[in-house]
Amino acid sequence: MDEVTVVVAHSERATLRVGDVFLKVDADQARIDVEVEAMSLAPVPTPEVLWRKPSVLAIAAVPGTTLGRLGGPSTGSSAGWAAAGAAIRKLHDAPLPSRPGRAGRSAVALAAELDDECALLVSNGLLPADLVTRNRQVAEAALRPWTPAFTHGDLQIAHVFVDGDEVTGIIDWSEAGRGDALYDLATFTLGHEEHLDDVLTGYGADIDIDIDVIHGWWSLRSLLAVRWLAEHGFDPFAPGCEVDVLRSRM
């Protein structure tokens, strides 16, 4: 008999695995709707939707393995990282979805959220003021005009599966929509700066990528994540994770 494995669980959503089936339970039905729609439109390998009911989505496991994890070593080759870059480019070049995604928040809204979060990080004693101030400066580079692309919105390394140098599946599309392509690239390479060149090689030399913007998104995403992660049972202070990403910008 297959066992039930809790993949991730917090107050907003939970993902369970039973054999080769993943059950995603979400308090916000709209996120499930976004995920199903995005997977149907994305021109890259995605999980098969087995069934859906209010608040629950059942999808099949995808083959392959991830390239690593945040806070851990990369287990993938340079060719695997480049293949991921090529798949991300294919997604970004696809026709735009109808709705904005997490990567599509306005610079004005992000700046306001970031300033509030930075103040809380310091006042709550979670991070030292100099670390927060420096990374707020770095994050400014991400707050600029951008051309909308079809973005995944939560393209963590753990969400991309490969087999050798072939991408076999990209999972967790609940934040997908129109957004800044460099947000996806930064999210995917967060904590694995050593593979950024491989990803950009696969993404394509015909695009002029501003590396300062990638660095800005690393700082911005990490600053916004630290307190939420700490409050939901995760450890952003673990080696190689968000706080180390912030320290690397000093």
Side-chain angles (χ1 to χ4, degrees):
M1 180 180 294
D2 291 323
E3 295 183 348
V4 177
T5 302
V6 178
V7 179
V8 64
H10 50 77
S11 60
E12 296 178 3
R13 66 188 82 169
T15 300
L16 310 176
R17 179 169 188 169
V18 186
D20 287 333
V21 176
F22 287 84
L23 298 176
K24 303 189 69 174
V25 184
D26 201 311
D28 185 352
Q29 177 64 35
R31 281 195 290 253
I32 291 178
D33 295 339
V34 167
E35 180 153 11
V36 172
E37 179 183 9
M39 289 192 294
S40 72
L41 297 174
V44 294
T46 61
E48 177 189 359
V49 175
L50 302 176
W51 51 264
R52 59 186 294 202
K53 294 182 178 181
S55 300
V56 183
L57 173 66
I59 59 175
V62 298
T65 58
T66 64
L67 290 165
R69 61 180 178 84
L70 182 62
S74 167
T75 56
S77 66
S78 292
W81 284 87
I88 296 169
R89 175 64 183 277
K90 188 174 183 180
L91 173 67
H92 290 167
D93 285 345
L96 293 175
S98 61
R99 68 187 89 198
R102 185 164 183 79
R105 291 167 291 171
S106 75
V108 172
L110 271 173
E113 181 183 359
L114 184 58
D115 288 340
D116 289 344
E117 192 62 31
C118 287
L120 286 170
L121 288 170
V122 175
S123 64
N124 291 350
L126 272 174
L127 295 176
D130 62 337
L131 183 64
V132 172
T133 299
R134 170 56 183 157
N135 277 276
R136 177 61 183 85
Q137 294 169 346
V138 174
E140 190 67 26
L143 303 175
R144 86 282 176 230
W146 40 267
T147 301
F150 189 157
T151 54
H152 180 280
D154 191 21
L155 200 62
Q156 303 174 43
I157 184 176
H159 292 166
V160 179
F161 288 74
V162 298
D163 183 2
D165 59 357
E166 178 184 357
V167 173
T168 54
I170 300 178
I171 65 171
D172 284 2
W173 291 81
S174 61
E175 309 284 358
R178 300 190 308 274
D180 180 3
L182 297 195
Y183 180 89
D184 273 354
L185 290 173
T187 301
F188 184 62
T189 54
L190 185 76
H192 288 281
E193 186 171 356
E194 73 278 9
H195 285 292
L196 178 58
D197 286 345
D198 295 328
V199 173
L200 295 183
T201 295
Y203 194 79
D206 58 315
I207 296 293
D208 185 17
I209 302 293
D210 188 338
I211 300 301
D212 286 341
V213 175
I214 298 284
H215 294 169
W217 276 124
W218 285 342
S219 290
L220 195 155
R221 180 181 172 94
S222 297
L223 286 168
L224 292 182
V226 167
R227 189 170 60 90
W228 185 95
L229 291 168
E231 291 175 353
H232 287 79
F234 303 99
D235 186 7
F237 292 87
C241 292
E242 285 80 4
V243 175
D244 273 356
V245 170
L246 295 173
R247 289 170 177 152
S248 71
R249 297 300 108 199
M250 296 296 286

